[in-house]
Every structure is written in structure tokens, then in C-alpha cells.
Amino acid sequence: MAERVPLPVHRRMLTFDAFEEGDGILVTAALRDERPWQTDARAVLHHMQLDVRVRKADMVIVGATADMLSFPHVECPLIAPKFEELVGLRIGSGFNTKLQEKFRGVSGCSHLFELSRALGSAVFQSMMSSNMRARLAEFPEPADPPVMPTREQVSRMVAPIRNTCHIWSEGGVAESKILHGVDLNHGPYPVPAVDAGSA
């Protein structure tokens, strides 16, 4: 018989759900801290939610609402309206710095601040997913023969995500696959390596 895993002393869950709304995206972010060993109301120590609407065209936040569903002090929800100040911020370079200036420490709530910090990458992935869904609706089947884009076309195509990780580094793995005619939207997943000799 397998050894029983002990009950964790703490569990934190961050969830992000994104929905298309007209010319934007609604991202509902939630943070939940649980104490699985506790049996009273403190078993769910924190449950915070942050709803943010982002305009697709320029990644600017056009709506923000914070809510506290479970919290340790009756005064905790008093800070929730402060997070409406997310409106007007652009998700991109400098976003985290602005968050720290506005919401860090006694200017905010550490849990809603944590959600706000994680929001940037969640919004970015949501936009990528929305764009991918639109492209797949336009081109549901892979091209036959495969399309061989030019370096300039690839450069424009990957500009929004270039240098965000080692795969998307300039001239890196993803760009090489696209230049070799690999359709990243169809076929096996994960996308296999390309044979360098096939170019």
C-alpha cells in the first residue's frame, strides 16, 4: 500500500478565465488561499476576484472591478475600489512598475496586487488565444503545399511575442520552424523539431 500524502498546511490557487467581449477581452482573475486542515470559516482564508476588461487594439485596461469573497478582517474590502485605478494602464512594458507604484504595500491589498501582477501575462496569453481562434476560423485546414513565408513576413508575425522566452527568441526555434513552412496551428503537438538540412 502506498504511503499516504500528508494534508498540506496551505494551498494557493490562481485562476484566470478570459472571454471575448466585442473589441476587447474580459479576464476574470481569482486568488484563493485555503488551509485544508482548518474546519471553520478560516479554511478559506482569502478569496479575491479581479475582473478586468482590456481593449484588443492597444492592450489598455478600460474596466476594472475587485471583489473580496472571503477575507480575514471586516475592513479588507474597503480597499477594493482602489483597484479601479487599473483603468487606463496599458499591458506591456512598464506595467509592473506602475502596479508597484499604485498598489504595493499599504496602498493596496497584497492579494489583489498579486492578482494584478499575474494579470499581464494572462491577458497577453488570452489575446494570443483569441487571435489564434480567429486565424483557425479563417484557415481551418493546413495549407497544401505548406506556405513558406519570407523572413520579413515572419518578423512581422512574431513581433508581439519575440524575446518573451527562449523558443521565441529572435532568430530562434519558433522563427526557424515558421521559415521551414511548419504550420504551428495544425499537426502534432508539441510541435516537433525541424530538420536543419531540409531548408
Side-chain angles (χ1 to χ4, degrees), residues 18 20 25 27 56 59 120-136 156-162 164 168 174 178 184-185:
E20 290 183 302
I25 296 278
V27 177
K56 284 184 184 179
M59 303 281 278
S121 63
V123 167
F124 185 77
Q125 288 296 323
S126 301
M127 293 291 187
M128 296 296 293
S129 188
S130 174
N131 292 338
M132 179 69 65
R133 186 166 87 163
R135 280 197 300 274
L136 288 175
R156 283 193 307 274
M157 187 186 321
V158 304
I161 52 177
R162 180 176 283 131
T164 57
W168 290 100
I178 296 168
L184 304 182
N185 304 319

Side-chain angles (χ1 to χ4, degrees), residues 53-130:
R53 285 173 175 76
V54 181
R55 193 168 46 224
K56 284 184 184 179
D58 56 9
M59 303 281 278
V60 169
I61 296 172
V62 296
T65 306
D67 195 10
M68 296 190 181
L69 307 169
S70 184
F71 43 87
H73 301 278
V74 294
E75 298 86 359
C76 286
L78 298 176
I79 198 67
K82 168 82 174 165
F83 286 81
E84 293 172 11
E85 292 179 24
L86 286 164
V87 172
L89 296 183
R90 183 181 174 280
I91 308 252
S93 180
F95 180 68
N96 286 334
T97 301
K98 288 184 175 135
L99 289 179
Q100 289 185 21
E101 291 168 1
K102 286 180 170 282
F103 306 111
R104 184 129 192 211
V106 297
S107 299
C109 161
S110 60
H111 305 93
L112 288 172
F113 173 70
E114 183 72 22
L115 270 179
S116 300
R117 282 188 340 143
L119 189 68
S121 63
V123 167
F124 185 77
Q125 288 296 323
S126 301
M127 293 291 187
M128 296 296 293
S129 188
S130 174

